[in-house]
Amino acid sequence: MKQILILGLLCALALCDVHFGRLKDSEGNVYGWGYKQATKIQQDPFIAKWSPEGPKIWYIYYDQSLVDTRTVNLTLDEDGFLWAVFVMDGGSYDPKNIRKLHTDPDAFKDVLFDNYGSGGGPHVTLVAKIDPEDGKILKATYLSARMQEGNFNAPKKNKKWRSATNTFKPKEIRVQGDSVFVKAYSAYHPMDPSSTQSNYVFWKEAGERDPACGCWRVEVELPKTLDKILNVRKLTAAELPDEPKKPKAQPKKKAPKKQAPKKEQPKKQAPKKEQPKKEEPKKVEETQKN
């Protein structure tokens, strides 16, 4: 209960979005995740840990660069390690970006995709293994869709494209045995299991995108080493429902302009028509005849 109140207070103070989650480990420690609305266009992802008694153990913002980043989902494996999926809309050389801020120097070494890719704007996934003791990212890989096959870092070929990188938006992460499973929405052809950093390949069994979401709903299976793709599975809408749509902003009704009270103009009186004077009949003096 204390942890719920703490998380609620954080959101009330605008330190995180109202959409947050929490989970408890075998020792009773509670983990919460979400993101802080740092500016109108920037969100900073966080994960926090509280002891069973309530006091905070650590609270970490994983990216404080200009990249818009959120913590989407969190889970624990059998060994007690945390596994998180983040979503972000670009890469950055800022020392406060997620690759450097609270991350082991070797976290992106020998992984499947070690960077965002070329371009910026589309939302991509970062899968991360996190030390529960201090919250540091120990291992991580990017997952994204691509507009073209070939080298992952190759610039876009088509001038009409905004970026060679395309949206691969995570929804859920789970760990089973030695595998990590990520459910996501892919805006363009999902990656084939044979894809590597030097040769991105479209998934041959992807079929057509789901017209309901305009995307492919997929689950990607990775080993805990995060160095390759073990399997890609197409999901149904029941397995990965549509994201809730944001309500459209209603146009503000303009308040009616206050009109100054009209000054009453004096009524113009029509000129009086002159009535012809009635002539009195002349009295005829009659001469009386004697």
Side-chain angles (χ1 to χ4, degrees):
M1 187 65 185
K2 286 182 181 179
Q3 288 80 5
I4 297 174
L5 292 173
I6 291 169
L7 286 170
L9 179 60
L10 287 171
C11 291
L13 293 172
L15 293 176
C16 76
D17 188 81
V18 292
H19 302 289
F20 61 89
R22 70 185 188 100
L23 60 84
K24 187 182 290 187
D25 65 17
S26 59
E27 297 176 358
N29 298 301
V30 174
Y31 299 89
W33 66 92
Y35 57 90
K36 179 179 75 171
Q37 192 71 44
T39 68
K40 288 183 179 179
I41 58 172
Q42 178 192 335
Q43 295 168 336
D44 295 340
F46 79 84
I47 299 175
K49 180 180 181 179
W50 288 271
S51 70
E53 293 75 29
K56 178 178 65 180
I57 298 174
W58 48 261
Y59 187 98
I60 295 174
Y61 290 107
Y62 287 88
D63 193 307
Q64 292 179 290
S65 69
L66 294 178
V67 176
D68 187 18
T69 310
R70 310 175 199 175
T71 312
V72 176
N73 198 222
L74 190 72
T75 191
L76 284 158
D77 67 14
E78 295 174 353
D79 300 318
F81 287 100
L82 292 165
W83 290 85
V85 277
F86 301 89
V87 64
M88 60 200 62
D89 66 356
S92 174
Y93 293 104
D94 190 316
K96 290 185 177 181
N97 79 78
I98 198 166
R99 292 170 54 86
K100 301 175 182 178
L101 195 56
H102 294 286
T103 304
D104 187 277
D106 293 328
F108 288 90
K109 186 178 180 181
D110 300 325
V111 296
L112 181 62
F113 301 118
D114 63 11
N115 63 78
Y116 175 89
S118 63
H123 292 86
V124 306
T125 297
L126 182 77
V127 184
K129 178 183 180 181
I130 296 171
D131 189 336
E133 294 301 316
D134 58 8
K136 182 175 283 188
I137 293 177
L138 302 175
K139 207 71 180 172
T141 185
Y142 289 85
L143 295 177
S144 75
R146 294 278 292 171
M147 300 287 284
Q148 63 197 34
E149 294 183 299
N151 192 299
F152 186 78
N153 297 317
K156 60 184 181 180
K157 293 178 181 177
N158 193 324
K159 291 181 179 180
K160 293 181 180 179
W161 299 343
R162 183 180 178 185
S163 169
T165 298
N166 210 294
T167 293
F168 191 85
K169 202 170 183 180
K171 178 68 175 179
E172 181 184 310
I173 186 169
R174 65 184 178 91
V175 180
Q176 185 176 341
D178 293 327
S179 293
V180 180
F181 298 85
V182 177
K183 289 183 179 181
Y185 308 92
S186 186
Y188 207 68
H189 285 285
M191 64 200 79
D192 189 82
S194 64
S195 294
T196 63
Q197 181 94 14
S198 59
N199 188 30
Y200 186 96
V201 180
F202 293 150
W203 185 32
K204 299 173 182 64
E205 299 174 20
E208 297 297 320
R209 70 181 76 206
D210 187 332
C213 66
C215 68
W216 283 267
R217 308 170 202 262
V218 297
E219 183 179 64
V220 177
E221 181 184 357
L222 306 155
K224 285 185 175 180
T225 51
L226 303 181
D227 59 349
K228 59 185 175 182
I229 300 172
L230 297 175
N231 189 39
V232 181
R233 184 171 70 92
K234 196 170 181 179
L235 302 176
T236 64
E239 293 173 299
L240 184 59
D242 290 343
E243 290 187 285
K245 293 182 179 179
K246 293 181 180 179
K248 291 183 179 179
Q250 297 296 324
K252 291 183 180 179
K253 292 182 179 179
K254 293 183 179 179
K257 292 181 180 179
K258 291 183 179 180
Q259 295 181 346
K262 293 181 179 179
K263 293 182 180 179
E264 291 187 4
Q265 300 292 330
K267 292 181 180 179
K268 291 183 179 180
Q269 294 181 347
K272 292 182 179 179
K273 291 183 180 180
E274 291 186 4
Q275 300 293 329
K277 291 182 180 179
K278 291 182 180 180
E279 293 184 1
E280 292 182 5
K282 291 181 180 180
K283 292 180 180 181
V284 180
E285 292 182 0
E286 292 184 356
T287 305
Q288 291 183 355
K289 292 181 180 181
N290 294 329

